[in-house]
Amino acid sequence: MLPEKESDVAEKGCATLIHTEVSNICNQSQVDSYKKMWVEKYKNLETLDGITCKVCGGHDGEVHDIDEFQVGLTAPPFHPRCRGTTIPVTDNLLSKNRQRSARDPETGKTVYVNEMTYEEWKENFVNEKGQQAWDYYEKSVKNLKIDTEQLDRYKAVLGKDAPESLEEFQKIQQALKKQSIQVTGCIDAQKAHFIYAAGAAKKKLIVTYSELRAKELCENYRLFDKNVLFYPAKDLIFYSADVQSNLLVQQRIRVLQKLMEEEEVTIVTTMGGIMDHLLPPEVFQKQVETVESDSEFDMELWKKKLTAMGYERVGQVEGSGQFAVRGGILDIFPLTEENPVRIELWGDEIDSIRSFDVESQRSIENLDRIRIYPAGEFIADDGRIKKGLAVLEKEAKRLADQFFQERKTEESARLKAFAEEVKQSLTQWKQMSVLDGLAPYFYDRMVSFAEYFPKEALVVLDEPNRLWEEAQAIEKEFQESMTNRLEKGYVLPGQMNLLCESQMASEKLQKHRCMGLCMLEAAGPQWHFAEHFSIDVRSVNTYNNSFELLVKDLQQWKKKGERVILLCASR
């Protein structure tokens, strides 16, 4: 016996074959009858509705000699499950005063129109209603069976809260697929389910207003889709003093890896994560190195390369972002891997690549290849460092001289010491992490995290008004803090450009197809949505361990004939 999925596929295949062969036999029989009645020509006839495909629509109205009859070329069926047929051509049938039946796009009922081809009928509809109306009609008709089944499932679960008609349900679905929409009345507990149900996009970006809410939403969404990650924001003001910065960079680099290597992934972040800058995707992609077994390997070159990529050389690898060299063995712990990797050489060629355990040093798995991502978001070669330092030192000298002329000797000395420390960190100690706070001096172009997503990705805005308030608060705090530090000689003027402005961040998000989810109020003027929907959701009482209240509500719901689903963490 075939498994259920394979059985369904086999059944559909048999149905398609039977439908197509029956159509073929009918059309062949019609042509035989035309010949017996001395009919010299025939005409292809297709249905005037949204189901007819472009191939069949192009053949509608064609007139051919009986001797030219050839299935698939001049006569239907032109493809599997083709609905086309033929009619004999007489002087009466060629008259333009005749009428033919069509399916009314708005009512779905049969109407009669003047004699015209399918292409002419479609052109009349588009000219009258517009291309967008035609696209909606075509998709709703072709998806009628699937949408009907899905609506029935929604009604079975949601009861009175489900959409009342199929037309309403299809409008919501079609709107989500082609333009930005806003949905009000959506409570926090429902948002993860709602986002997943709207998921026609392969890649989704969910933006919320706080890190705590982002982590909560990420865990809720993981119930529906395991391939979801949290992208943390950097605190640009205190980032250099953050003792967990290595862990934060690791989380961010892993997200970038998922976006570049996987087709389907969902990322949850905050407005802070959208407003800090990154290297352009194409530039960051060039920093990723691939090592394959049995390929040539220059150990000296790789020592310099890994240092430039932000990895720290140590005696023995103990944590991510480190590498160690012992003779012809290179141990490296990429930020994107759970375990370090050991590359063993035989001469100048790679003999083996294996992952191993940090504590026991025992091998875990043999690998054919490994992709090594940078240990930092901003890395630079010697040429870029030299060029960037020249600009930085010039600006530091100008500002230090200005402080000195204003008799701010302490600020002037502090700024000179800062510039010298940066120079030593990059040229002598090769600390690439310094670049994170000085990226504007070393890169001409930086982008927002939103630009790592393709244009067809779905961006979900959790409470758009709160997002805007959070973005403005972040921008205000950053500007005030950096302005004060600039006056004291702690930072350079170029570091004021580390943060993307709130208005610009909003515009970059809205270059994608957005869905705004609001509990109560509508989104403000800074967010632009093509359509607005409102849903009515009832929250469930928490009961606070009172089973009596729960039983009472269950009895009431049962009397109303409502369907109740109980979800428990354990048995």
Side-chain angles (χ1 to χ4, degrees), residues 393-452:
E393 289 177 323
K394 182 179 179 180
E395 188 167 64
K397 184 179 183 305
R398 178 187 62 79
L399 191 57
D401 291 344
Q402 181 180 332
F403 281 143
F404 188 79
Q405 291 175 3
E406 296 173 357
R407 296 187 177 183
K408 297 180 179 179
T409 56
E410 185 178 348
E411 287 83 351
S412 177
R414 184 182 294 130
L415 193 60
K416 289 180 179 179
F418 172 70
E420 183 62 28
E421 183 181 351
V422 170
K423 182 178 180 180
Q424 289 182 356
S425 298
L426 290 174
T427 57
Q428 297 181 18
W429 305 328
K430 301 296 182 181
Q431 292 182 344
M432 296 300 161
S433 58
V434 175
L435 293 175
D436 286 14
L438 299 164
Y441 290 100
F442 297 89
Y443 287 94
D444 298 329
R445 176 174 171 257
M446 295 182 293
V447 300
S448 165
F449 179 59
E451 294 177 69
Y452 271 70

Short mmCIF file of all heavy atoms in Angstrom, two decimals, residues 393-452:
data_model
loop_
_atom_site.label_atom_id
_atom_site.label_comp_id
_atom_site.label_asym_id
_atom_site.label_seq_id
_atom_site.Cartn_x
_atom_site.Cartn_y
_atom_site.Cartn_z
N GLU A 393 43.42 60.41 11.07
CA GLU A 393 44.45 61.21 11.72
C GLU A 393 44.37 62.67 11.30
O GLU A 393 44.62 63.58 12.12
CB GLU A 393 45.83 60.63 11.39
CG GLU A 393 46.11 59.30 12.08
CD GLU A 393 47.46 58.73 11.68
OE1 GLU A 393 47.83 58.88 10.49
OE2 GLU A 393 48.13 58.15 12.54
N LYS A 394 44.03 62.91 10.06
CA LYS A 394 43.91 64.28 9.58
C LYS A 394 42.77 65.01 10.31
O LYS A 394 42.93 66.16 10.74
CB LYS A 394 43.66 64.28 8.07
CG LYS A 394 43.57 65.67 7.46
CD LYS A 394 43.35 65.58 5.96
CE LYS A 394 43.24 66.97 5.35
NZ LYS A 394 43.03 66.91 3.87
N GLU A 395 41.65 64.34 10.45
CA GLU A 395 40.51 64.96 11.13
C GLU A 395 40.79 65.11 12.63
O GLU A 395 40.42 66.12 13.24
CB GLU A 395 39.24 64.13 10.91
CG GLU A 395 37.99 64.83 11.44
CD GLU A 395 36.72 64.16 10.95
OE1 GLU A 395 36.50 62.99 11.31
OE2 GLU A 395 35.97 64.82 10.20
N ALA A 396 41.46 64.12 13.23
CA ALA A 396 41.80 64.20 14.65
C ALA A 396 42.75 65.37 14.91
O ALA A 396 42.60 66.10 15.90
CB ALA A 396 42.42 62.89 15.12
N LYS A 397 43.71 65.57 14.02
CA LYS A 397 44.67 66.67 14.18
C LYS A 397 43.95 68.02 14.05
O LYS A 397 44.21 68.95 14.83
CB LYS A 397 45.77 66.56 13.13
CG LYS A 397 46.88 67.61 13.29
CD LYS A 397 47.95 67.42 12.24
CE LYS A 397 49.10 68.41 12.43
NZ LYS A 397 48.66 69.81 12.46
N ARG A 398 43.06 68.11 13.08
CA ARG A 398 42.33 69.37 12.89
C ARG A 398 41.50 69.71 14.13
O ARG A 398 41.52 70.86 14.61
CB ARG A 398 41.41 69.25 11.68
CG ARG A 398 40.56 70.49 11.41
CD ARG A 398 39.55 70.24 10.30
NE ARG A 398 38.61 69.19 10.68
CZ ARG A 398 37.57 69.37 11.49
NH1 ARG A 398 37.34 70.56 12.04
NH2 ARG A 398 36.75 68.38 11.76
N LEU A 399 40.80 68.70 14.67
CA LEU A 399 39.95 68.96 15.83
C LEU A 399 40.79 69.21 17.09
O LEU A 399 40.44 70.05 17.92
CB LEU A 399 39.01 67.76 16.04
CG LEU A 399 37.87 67.96 17.05
CD1 LEU A 399 37.00 69.15 16.65
CD2 LEU A 399 37.00 66.71 17.15
N ALA A 400 41.91 68.48 17.22
CA ALA A 400 42.79 68.69 18.38
C ALA A 400 43.39 70.10 18.36
O ALA A 400 43.49 70.77 19.42
CB ALA A 400 43.91 67.65 18.39
N ASP A 401 43.79 70.58 17.18
CA ASP A 401 44.31 71.94 17.06
C ASP A 401 43.23 72.96 17.40
O ASP A 401 43.51 74.00 18.03
CB ASP A 401 44.82 72.19 15.64
CG ASP A 401 46.08 71.38 15.34
OD1 ASP A 401 46.70 70.88 16.30
OD2 ASP A 401 46.41 71.21 14.15
N GLN A 402 42.00 72.68 17.00
CA GLN A 402 40.89 73.59 17.31
C GLN A 402 40.67 73.66 18.82
O GLN A 402 40.46 74.74 19.37
CB GLN A 402 39.62 73.11 16.60
CG GLN A 402 38.42 73.99 16.85
CD GLN A 402 37.18 73.48 16.13
OE1 GLN A 402 37.27 72.83 15.10
NE2 GLN A 402 36.02 73.77 16.68
N PHE A 403 40.71 72.48 19.48
CA PHE A 403 40.57 72.45 20.94
C PHE A 403 41.70 73.25 21.60
O PHE A 403 41.48 73.99 22.57
CB PHE A 403 40.60 71.01 21.45
CG PHE A 403 39.29 70.28 21.28
CD1 PHE A 403 39.28 68.92 20.95
CD2 PHE A 403 38.08 70.92 21.46
CE1 PHE A 403 38.09 68.24 20.79
CE2 PHE A 403 36.88 70.23 21.31
CZ PHE A 403 36.89 68.90 20.97
N PHE A 404 42.91 73.10 21.08
CA PHE A 404 44.07 73.78 21.67
C PHE A 404 43.93 75.29 21.56
O PHE A 404 44.25 76.03 22.49
CB PHE A 404 45.36 73.30 20.99
CG PHE A 404 46.61 73.79 21.64
CD1 PHE A 404 47.11 73.19 22.80
CD2 PHE A 404 47.31 74.89 21.11
CE1 PHE A 404 48.26 73.67 23.39
CE2 PHE A 404 48.45 75.36 21.70
CZ PHE A 404 48.94 74.74 22.85
N GLN A 405 43.44 75.74 20.39
CA GLN A 405 43.26 77.18 20.19
C GLN A 405 42.18 77.72 21.11
O GLN A 405 42.22 78.90 21.51
CB GLN A 405 42.89 77.46 18.73
CG GLN A 405 44.04 77.21 17.76
CD GLN A 405 43.62 77.38 16.31
OE1 GLN A 405 42.48 77.75 16.03
NE2 GLN A 405 44.55 77.13 15.39
N GLU A 406 41.22 76.88 21.43
CA GLU A 406 40.15 77.29 22.35
C GLU A 406 40.55 77.09 23.81
O GLU A 406 39.71 77.21 24.71
CB GLU A 406 38.87 76.50 22.04
CG GLU A 406 38.29 76.78 20.66
CD GLU A 406 37.12 75.85 20.32
OE1 GLU A 406 36.82 74.95 21.16
OE2 GLU A 406 36.52 76.02 19.26
N ARG A 407 41.84 76.75 24.03
CA ARG A 407 42.41 76.52 25.35
C ARG A 407 41.77 75.34 26.08
O ARG A 407 41.68 75.31 27.30
CB ARG A 407 42.29 77.80 26.20
CG ARG A 407 43.09 78.96 25.64
CD ARG A 407 43.10 80.13 26.57
NE ARG A 407 43.94 81.22 26.03
CZ ARG A 407 44.18 82.36 26.66
NH1 ARG A 407 43.63 82.56 27.87
NH2 ARG A 407 44.93 83.29 26.10
N LYS A 408 41.34 74.38 25.28
CA LYS A 408 40.82 73.12 25.85
C LYS A 408 41.93 72.07 25.71
O LYS A 408 41.85 71.15 24.90
CB LYS A 408 39.56 72.68 25.12
CG LYS A 408 38.40 73.66 25.25
CD LYS A 408 37.18 73.15 24.49
CE LYS A 408 36.01 74.12 24.63
NZ LYS A 408 34.81 73.65 23.88
N THR A 409 42.97 72.27 26.50
CA THR A 409 44.15 71.41 26.38
C THR A 409 43.87 69.96 26.75
O THR A 409 44.44 69.04 26.17
CB THR A 409 45.29 71.96 27.26
OG1 THR A 409 44.81 72.07 28.61
CG2 THR A 409 45.75 73.33 26.77
N GLU A 410 43.01 69.76 27.73
CA GLU A 410 42.69 68.39 28.15
C GLU A 410 41.97 67.63 27.03
O GLU A 410 42.31 66.47 26.74
CB GLU A 410 41.81 68.44 29.40
CG GLU A 410 41.52 67.05 29.98
CD GLU A 410 40.69 67.13 31.24
OE1 GLU A 410 40.53 68.24 31.79
OE2 GLU A 410 40.19 66.08 31.68
N GLU A 411 41.00 68.30 26.39
CA GLU A 411 40.27 67.67 25.29
C GLU A 411 41.20 67.39 24.10
O GLU A 411 41.11 66.36 23.44
CB GLU A 411 39.10 68.55 24.84
CG GLU A 411 37.93 68.59 25.80
CD GLU A 411 38.14 69.58 26.92
OE1 GLU A 411 39.28 70.11 27.04
OE2 GLU A 411 37.20 69.81 27.71
N SER A 412 42.12 68.34 23.84
CA SER A 412 43.05 68.19 22.74
C SER A 412 43.97 66.99 22.97
O SER A 412 44.18 66.17 22.06
CB SER A 412 43.88 69.46 22.58
OG SER A 412 44.85 69.31 21.55
N ALA A 413 44.50 66.85 24.17
CA ALA A 413 45.39 65.73 24.49
C ALA A 413 44.64 64.41 24.45
O ALA A 413 45.16 63.39 23.99
CB ALA A 413 46.01 65.95 25.87
N ARG A 414 43.40 64.45 24.91
CA ARG A 414 42.59 63.22 24.93
C ARG A 414 42.32 62.73 23.50
O ARG A 414 42.39 61.53 23.22
CB ARG A 414 41.27 63.50 25.65
CG ARG A 414 40.39 62.26 25.80
CD ARG A 414 39.09 62.63 26.49
NE ARG A 414 39.32 63.05 27.86
CZ ARG A 414 38.84 64.17 28.39
NH1 ARG A 414 38.13 65.00 27.65
NH2 ARG A 414 39.09 64.46 29.66
N LEU A 415 42.05 63.65 22.60
CA LEU A 415 41.75 63.27 21.22
C LEU A 415 43.00 62.74 20.51
O LEU A 415 42.92 61.76 19.75
CB LEU A 415 41.19 64.49 20.46
CG LEU A 415 40.54 64.19 19.11
CD1 LEU A 415 39.35 63.25 19.27
CD2 LEU A 415 40.08 65.48 18.45
N LYS A 416 44.16 63.36 20.77
CA LYS A 416 45.40 62.87 20.18
C LYS A 416 45.72 61.46 20.68
O LYS A 416 46.15 60.59 19.90
CB LYS A 416 46.55 63.82 20.52
CG LYS A 416 46.49 65.16 19.80
CD LYS A 416 47.68 66.04 20.20
CE LYS A 416 47.65 67.38 19.49
NZ LYS A 416 48.79 68.24 19.89
N ALA A 417 45.50 61.23 21.97
CA ALA A 417 45.76 59.90 22.54
C ALA A 417 44.80 58.87 21.96
O ALA A 417 45.20 57.72 21.70
CB ALA A 417 45.62 59.96 24.06
N PHE A 418 43.56 59.28 21.72
CA PHE A 418 42.56 58.37 21.13
C PHE A 418 42.97 57.95 19.72
O PHE A 418 42.93 56.77 19.36
CB PHE A 418 41.20 59.06 21.11
CG PHE A 418 40.15 58.30 20.36
CD1 PHE A 418 39.62 57.12 20.85
CD2 PHE A 418 39.67 58.77 19.14
CE1 PHE A 418 38.66 56.42 20.15
CE2 PHE A 418 38.71 58.09 18.43
CZ PHE A 418 38.19 56.91 18.94
N ALA A 419 43.41 58.93 18.90
CA ALA A 419 43.82 58.63 17.54
C ALA A 419 45.05 57.72 17.52
O ALA A 419 45.14 56.81 16.69
CB ALA A 419 44.11 59.93 16.79
N GLU A 420 45.99 57.97 18.43
CA GLU A 420 47.20 57.13 18.49
C GLU A 420 46.85 55.72 18.94
O GLU A 420 47.41 54.73 18.43
CB GLU A 420 48.19 57.75 19.47
CG GLU A 420 49.52 57.02 19.57
CD GLU A 420 50.28 57.00 18.25
OE1 GLU A 420 50.09 57.93 17.43
OE2 GLU A 420 51.06 56.05 18.04
N GLU A 421 45.92 55.57 19.85
CA GLU A 421 45.50 54.24 20.33
C GLU A 421 44.83 53.45 19.21
O GLU A 421 45.07 52.25 19.06
CB GLU A 421 44.54 54.40 21.51
CG GLU A 421 44.11 53.07 22.11
CD GLU A 421 43.14 53.24 23.26
OE1 GLU A 421 42.94 54.40 23.71
OE2 GLU A 421 42.58 52.22 23.72
N VAL A 422 44.01 54.14 18.43
CA VAL A 422 43.36 53.48 17.29
C VAL A 422 44.40 52.99 16.29
O VAL A 422 44.32 51.86 15.78
CB VAL A 422 42.36 54.44 16.61
CG1 VAL A 422 41.88 53.86 15.28
CG2 VAL A 422 41.18 54.73 17.52
N LYS A 423 45.40 53.82 16.03
CA LYS A 423 46.45 53.46 15.08
C LYS A 423 47.21 52.23 15.55
O LYS A 423 47.46 51.29 14.76
CB LYS A 423 47.40 54.64 14.89
CG LYS A 423 48.50 54.37 13.88
CD LYS A 423 49.39 55.60 13.71
CE LYS A 423 50.50 55.33 12.68
NZ LYS A 423 51.37 56.52 12.50
N GLN A 424 47.58 52.19 16.81
CA GLN A 424 48.31 51.04 17.34
C GLN A 424 47.45 49.77 17.32
O GLN A 424 47.93 48.68 17.01
CB GLN A 424 48.78 51.33 18.77
CG GLN A 424 49.90 52.36 18.86
CD GLN A 424 50.35 52.57 20.30
OE1 GLN A 424 49.79 52.01 21.23
NE2 GLN A 424 51.39 53.39 20.47
N SER A 425 46.17 49.90 17.65
CA SER A 425 45.27 48.74 17.69
C SER A 425 45.15 48.10 16.32
O SER A 425 45.08 46.86 16.20
CB SER A 425 43.88 49.17 18.19
OG SER A 425 43.96 49.66 19.52
N LEU A 426 45.15 48.91 15.26
CA LEU A 426 44.95 48.38 13.91
C LEU A 426 46.26 47.94 13.25
O LEU A 426 46.30 46.94 12.55
CB LEU A 426 44.26 49.43 13.04
CG LEU A 426 42.79 49.72 13.37
CD1 LEU A 426 42.26 50.87 12.54
CD2 LEU A 426 41.92 48.48 13.16
N THR A 427 47.32 48.68 13.46
CA THR A 427 48.58 48.37 12.76
C THR A 427 49.46 47.38 13.50
O THR A 427 50.12 46.53 12.89
CB THR A 427 49.37 49.67 12.52
OG1 THR A 427 49.61 50.32 13.78
CG2 THR A 427 48.60 50.60 11.59
N GLN A 428 49.49 47.47 14.82
CA GLN A 428 50.36 46.59 15.60
C GLN A 428 49.63 45.39 16.17
O GLN A 428 50.09 44.26 16.06
CB GLN A 428 51.02 47.40 16.73
CG GLN A 428 51.93 48.52 16.24
CD GLN A 428 52.58 49.27 17.39
OE1 GLN A 428 52.64 48.79 18.51
NE2 GLN A 428 53.09 50.47 17.09
N TRP A 429 48.48 45.63 16.79
CA TRP A 429 47.77 44.54 17.47
C TRP A 429 46.73 43.86 16.59
O TRP A 429 46.19 42.82 16.97
CB TRP A 429 47.11 45.08 18.75
CG TRP A 429 48.08 45.76 19.67
CD1 TRP A 429 49.40 45.45 19.84
CD2 TRP A 429 47.81 46.88 20.52
NE1 TRP A 429 49.97 46.28 20.76
CE2 TRP A 429 49.03 47.18 21.21
CE3 TRP A 429 46.69 47.65 20.81
CZ2 TRP A 429 49.14 48.21 22.13
CZ3 TRP A 429 46.79 48.67 21.73
CH2 TRP A 429 48.00 48.96 22.38
N LYS A 430 46.42 44.47 15.43
CA LYS A 430 45.46 43.91 14.48
C LYS A 430 44.10 43.62 15.13
O LYS A 430 43.46 42.60 14.89
CB LYS A 430 46.01 42.62 13.86
CG LYS A 430 47.31 42.78 13.10
CD LYS A 430 47.13 43.67 11.89
CE LYS A 430 48.42 43.80 11.09
NZ LYS A 430 48.27 44.70 9.91
N GLN A 431 43.64 44.54 15.95
CA GLN A 431 42.34 44.40 16.60
C GLN A 431 41.25 44.99 15.69
O GLN A 431 40.96 46.18 15.74
CB GLN A 431 42.34 45.09 17.96
CG GLN A 431 43.22 44.41 18.99
CD GLN A 431 43.16 45.10 20.34
OE1 GLN A 431 42.70 46.24 20.46
NE2 GLN A 431 43.61 44.41 21.38
N MET A 432 40.66 44.12 14.86
CA MET A 432 39.67 44.60 13.88
C MET A 432 38.36 45.05 14.53
O MET A 432 37.55 45.72 13.89
CB MET A 432 39.39 43.49 12.87
CG MET A 432 40.60 43.12 12.03
SD MET A 432 41.21 44.54 11.09
CE MET A 432 42.87 44.02 10.69
N SER A 433 38.14 44.68 15.79
CA SER A 433 36.92 45.10 16.47
C SER A 433 36.85 46.62 16.62
O SER A 433 35.77 47.19 16.80
CB SER A 433 36.83 44.43 17.85
OG SER A 433 37.96 44.76 18.64
N VAL A 434 38.02 47.28 16.53
CA VAL A 434 38.06 48.74 16.62
C VAL A 434 37.28 49.38 15.47
O VAL A 434 36.71 50.47 15.61
CB VAL A 434 39.53 49.23 16.61
CG1 VAL A 434 39.60 50.76 16.60
CG2 VAL A 434 40.27 48.69 17.82
N LEU A 435 37.22 48.69 14.35
CA LEU A 435 36.57 49.23 13.15
C LEU A 435 35.07 49.44 13.36
O LEU A 435 34.46 50.27 12.67
CB LEU A 435 36.79 48.30 11.95
CG LEU A 435 38.22 48.17 11.44
CD1 LEU A 435 38.29 47.13 10.34
CD2 LEU A 435 38.73 49.51 10.92
N ASP A 436 34.45 48.67 14.26
CA ASP A 436 33.00 48.78 14.44
C ASP A 436 32.58 50.19 14.81
O ASP A 436 31.54 50.67 14.36
CB ASP A 436 32.55 47.81 15.54
CG ASP A 436 32.56 46.37 15.06
OD1 ASP A 436 33.16 46.13 14.00
OD2 ASP A 436 31.98 45.51 15.73
N GLY A 437 33.37 50.87 15.62
CA GLY A 437 33.02 52.22 16.03
C GLY A 437 33.59 53.30 15.14
O GLY A 437 33.34 54.49 15.37
N LEU A 438 34.36 52.90 14.12
CA LEU A 438 35.01 53.88 13.23
C LEU A 438 34.76 53.57 11.76
O LEU A 438 35.49 54.04 10.88
CB LEU A 438 36.52 53.89 13.51
CG LEU A 438 36.94 54.29 14.92
CD1 LEU A 438 38.39 53.89 15.16
CD2 LEU A 438 36.75 55.79 15.13
N ALA A 439 33.73 52.77 11.48
CA ALA A 439 33.47 52.31 10.12
C ALA A 439 33.35 53.42 9.09
O ALA A 439 33.81 53.26 7.95
CB ALA A 439 32.21 51.44 10.11
N PRO A 440 32.76 54.60 9.41
CA PRO A 440 32.65 55.66 8.38
C PRO A 440 33.99 56.13 7.82
O PRO A 440 34.04 56.67 6.71
CB PRO A 440 31.94 56.79 9.14
CG PRO A 440 31.16 56.10 10.21
CD PRO A 440 32.03 54.97 10.64
N TYR A 441 35.08 55.93 8.56
CA TYR A 441 36.40 56.36 8.07
C TYR A 441 37.02 55.32 7.13
O TYR A 441 37.94 55.65 6.37
CB TYR A 441 37.34 56.60 9.25
CG TYR A 441 36.98 57.82 10.05
CD1 TYR A 441 36.27 57.70 11.24
CD2 TYR A 441 37.32 59.09 9.61
CE1 TYR A 441 35.93 58.83 11.99
CE2 TYR A 441 36.98 60.21 10.33
CZ TYR A 441 36.28 60.08 11.52
OH TYR A 441 35.94 61.19 12.24
N PHE A 442 36.54 54.10 7.17
CA PHE A 442 37.17 53.03 6.40
C PHE A 442 36.28 52.50 5.26
O PHE A 442 36.77 51.79 4.39
CB PHE A 442 37.55 51.88 7.33
CG PHE A 442 38.57 52.26 8.36
CD1 PHE A 442 38.19 52.78 9.59
CD2 PHE A 442 39.92 52.12 8.09
CE1 PHE A 442 39.13 53.15 10.54
CE2 PHE A 442 40.88 52.49 9.03
CZ PHE A 442 40.48 53.01 10.25
N TYR A 443 35.00 52.82 5.29
CA TYR A 443 34.08 52.38 4.23
C TYR A 443 33.24 53.55 3.77
O TYR A 443 32.65 54.28 4.57
CB TYR A 443 33.18 51.25 4.74
CG TYR A 443 33.90 49.93 4.89
CD1 TYR A 443 34.46 49.56 6.11
CD2 TYR A 443 34.05 49.07 3.80
CE1 TYR A 443 35.13 48.36 6.25
CE2 TYR A 443 34.72 47.87 3.93
CZ TYR A 443 35.26 47.51 5.15
OH TYR A 443 35.93 46.32 5.28
N ASP A 444 33.18 53.73 2.44
CA ASP A 444 32.41 54.83 1.87
C ASP A 444 30.92 54.57 1.94
O ASP A 444 30.12 55.49 2.03
CB ASP A 444 32.82 55.06 0.41
CG ASP A 444 34.28 55.46 0.29
OD1 ASP A 444 34.78 56.11 1.23
OD2 ASP A 444 34.92 55.11 -0.71
N ARG A 445 30.53 53.28 1.85
CA ARG A 445 29.10 52.95 1.81
C ARG A 445 28.77 51.89 2.85
O ARG A 445 29.46 50.87 2.94
CB ARG A 445 28.71 52.44 0.42
CG ARG A 445 27.27 51.98 0.30
CD ARG A 445 26.92 51.63 -1.13
NE ARG A 445 25.60 51.01 -1.19
CZ ARG A 445 25.40 49.71 -1.35
NH1 ARG A 445 26.45 48.89 -1.48
NH2 ARG A 445 24.19 49.20 -1.39
N MET A 446 27.74 52.16 3.63
CA MET A 446 27.22 51.18 4.59
C MET A 446 25.71 51.08 4.41
O MET A 446 25.08 52.01 3.87
CB MET A 446 27.58 51.60 6.02
CG MET A 446 29.07 51.58 6.31
SD MET A 446 29.45 52.01 8.02
CE MET A 446 28.94 53.73 8.06
N VAL A 447 25.13 49.97 4.85
CA VAL A 447 23.70 49.74 4.61
C VAL A 447 23.01 49.34 5.91
O VAL A 447 23.66 49.01 6.91
CB VAL A 447 23.48 48.63 3.56
CG1 VAL A 447 24.12 49.02 2.23
CG2 VAL A 447 24.02 47.29 4.05
N SER A 448 21.69 49.37 5.86
CA SER A 448 20.88 48.92 6.99
C SER A 448 20.68 47.41 6.90
O SER A 448 20.81 46.80 5.83
CB SER A 448 19.52 49.62 6.96
OG SER A 448 18.59 48.98 7.81
N PHE A 449 20.35 46.79 8.03
CA PHE A 449 20.10 45.35 8.06
C PHE A 449 18.94 44.98 7.14
O PHE A 449 18.91 43.89 6.56
CB PHE A 449 19.78 44.92 9.49
CG PHE A 449 19.47 43.46 9.65
CD1 PHE A 449 20.40 42.48 9.28
CD2 PHE A 449 18.25 43.04 10.14
CE1 PHE A 449 20.10 41.13 9.41
CE2 PHE A 449 17.95 41.70 10.29
CZ PHE A 449 18.87 40.74 9.92
N ALA A 450 17.98 45.89 6.95
CA ALA A 450 16.83 45.62 6.08
C ALA A 450 17.26 45.37 4.64
O ALA A 450 16.57 44.66 3.89
CB ALA A 450 15.84 46.78 6.14
N GLU A 451 18.41 45.93 4.23
CA GLU A 451 18.87 45.78 2.85
C GLU A 451 19.50 44.42 2.59
O GLU A 451 19.90 44.13 1.47
CB GLU A 451 19.85 46.90 2.52
CG GLU A 451 19.18 48.27 2.52
CD GLU A 451 20.14 49.42 2.27
OE1 GLU A 451 20.64 49.54 1.14
OE2 GLU A 451 20.39 50.19 3.23
N TYR A 452 19.64 43.58 3.62
CA TYR A 452 20.10 42.21 3.43
C TYR A 452 18.96 41.29 2.99
O TYR A 452 19.20 40.12 2.67
CB TYR A 452 20.72 41.67 4.72
CG TYR A 452 22.20 41.96 4.85
CD1 TYR A 452 22.66 43.25 5.08
CD2 TYR A 452 23.15 40.95 4.73
CE1 TYR A 452 24.02 43.54 5.19
CE2 TYR A 452 24.51 41.22 4.84
CZ TYR A 452 24.93 42.52 5.07
OH TYR A 452 26.28 42.78 5.17
#
